[in-house]
Amino acid sequence: MARTWAGDLPTPDFAWLDPLVRHFQLGEPELLEALGGGLVHQTWKLKTTQGSFVVQRLHPQFDPAVTEDGQAIGSWLRQQGFPVPQFRRACDGSLHLSWGGGLWRVMDCLPGSSYSTPPAWSYLEQAGAAVGRLHRLLAGWHYSFRFQIPHFHDTAYFWQQLCQRSPDPEIRAEWQFFVETVPRLLLPPGLFRLRLSMPISSSTTFCLTKGEDLPAWWISTPLWTTTCTLS
């Protein structure tokens, strides 16, 4: 079976591909496409004789628990009739392949098309309805995350760290700007917070499936960990 690489750059080294398709029993590879919209994990869309998948090599900062969190939350959402991808398990039951000093994972690629700009306002209306439904589903569900990054998205903490540093002369003006500006942008303490982190597609846009009442999404962004915590 011929293999095709879809990308603007010369064909890179894909020594990981054969071990990956064997481990997850994905069939014979046909087309591999890099998805460069994410900022954390390395991500590809893989078409094989068995279907289409999204493949990710996890950033070293993340451990297997982040996928286990995503699997648990995704399973619950699918039980509620909300379409989200499912992580593939290998024949030994694992969610990851350890290869080449990294962790690899695979999820199903839901059908649809991804748009960086919506073709019509109706697309935005459907997207808003889907996000609203997602919030309603997760608002009443509680989950204890196995994986967490300390001070993740904690702007106040990083601002305090910045203030304790002595900048080099060539960046002092920028340092001064952030030190003076950030406090005015922080939300007041004590607010009710619902944290929802759910990547939508390779470019953080909705992937819409024709003929459905709500968008169906395939995930290929840095984190597939839909999270809902109250604090």
Side-chain angles (χ1 to χ4, degrees):
M1 184 73 67
R3 299 183 179 186
T4 304
W5 155 247
D8 298 329
L9 299 176
T11 303
D13 180 13
F14 288 122
W16 51 268
L17 184 56
D18 284 334
L20 181 128
V21 296
R22 288 197 302 268
H23 185 70
F24 290 101
Q25 298 180 310
L26 302 179
E28 178 66 21
E30 294 180 337
L31 177 65
L32 187 65
E33 177 184 0
L35 300 175
L39 300 177
V40 180
H41 307 308
Q42 299 178 51
T43 306
W44 296 265
K45 182 179 179 181
L46 172 64
K47 182 180 180 181
T48 76
T49 52
Q50 293 189 12
S52 294
F53 308 93
V54 173
V55 176
Q56 288 187 318
R57 177 173 180 168
L58 296 186
H59 187 281
Q61 182 69 31
F62 296 81
D63 64 38
V66 70
T67 305
E68 295 166 5
D69 287 337
Q71 184 79 324
I73 298 167
S75 176
W76 186 84
L77 285 172
R78 286 188 295 274
Q79 291 174 13
Q80 314 308 308
F82 195 89
V84 294
Q86 181 171 358
F87 287 107
R88 300 274 297 197
R89 289 192 180 274
C91 56
D92 62 359
S94 63
L95 289 170
H96 300 88
L97 166 68
S98 180
W99 194 91
L103 284 175
W104 303 76
R105 65 186 183 183
V106 176
M107 66 193 84
D108 297 328
C109 182
L110 300 185
S113 300
S114 180
Y115 301 96
S116 57
T117 302
W121 281 106
S122 60
Y123 283 65
L124 295 176
E125 293 172 354
Q126 292 185 60
V131 172
R133 184 184 174 206
L134 179 65
H135 275 265
R136 289 193 299 272
L137 288 173
L138 291 177
W141 190 64
H142 302 280
Y143 177 78
S144 298
F145 295 97
R146 299 185 57 187
F147 176 80
Q148 296 189 37
I149 300 177
H151 304 292
F152 189 60
H153 289 177
D154 187 347
T155 306
Y157 171 83
F158 290 110
W159 176 79
Q160 294 171 357
Q161 297 297 305
L162 180 66
C163 291
Q164 297 174 11
R165 301 295 190 270
S166 297
D168 294 333
E170 59 269 21
I171 62 169
R172 175 167 289 278
E174 290 84 355
W175 177 87
Q176 190 68 35
F177 171 80
F178 283 110
V179 167
E180 295 176 354
T181 304
V182 168
R184 300 197 300 268
L185 303 177
L186 297 176
L187 293 173
L191 293 179
F192 173 84
R193 297 176 57 195
L194 175 65
R195 185 185 69 176
L196 175 65
S197 174
M198 184 173 183
I200 303 304
S201 75
S202 60
S203 56
T204 320
T205 56
F206 284 96
C207 178
L208 304 178
T209 301
K210 294 181 180 179
E212 299 290 338
D213 293 334
L214 291 175
W217 302 345
W218 60 274
I219 308 303
S220 57
T221 40
L223 291 176
W224 164 223
T225 49
T226 306
T227 65
C228 180
T229 59
L230 302 179
S231 58

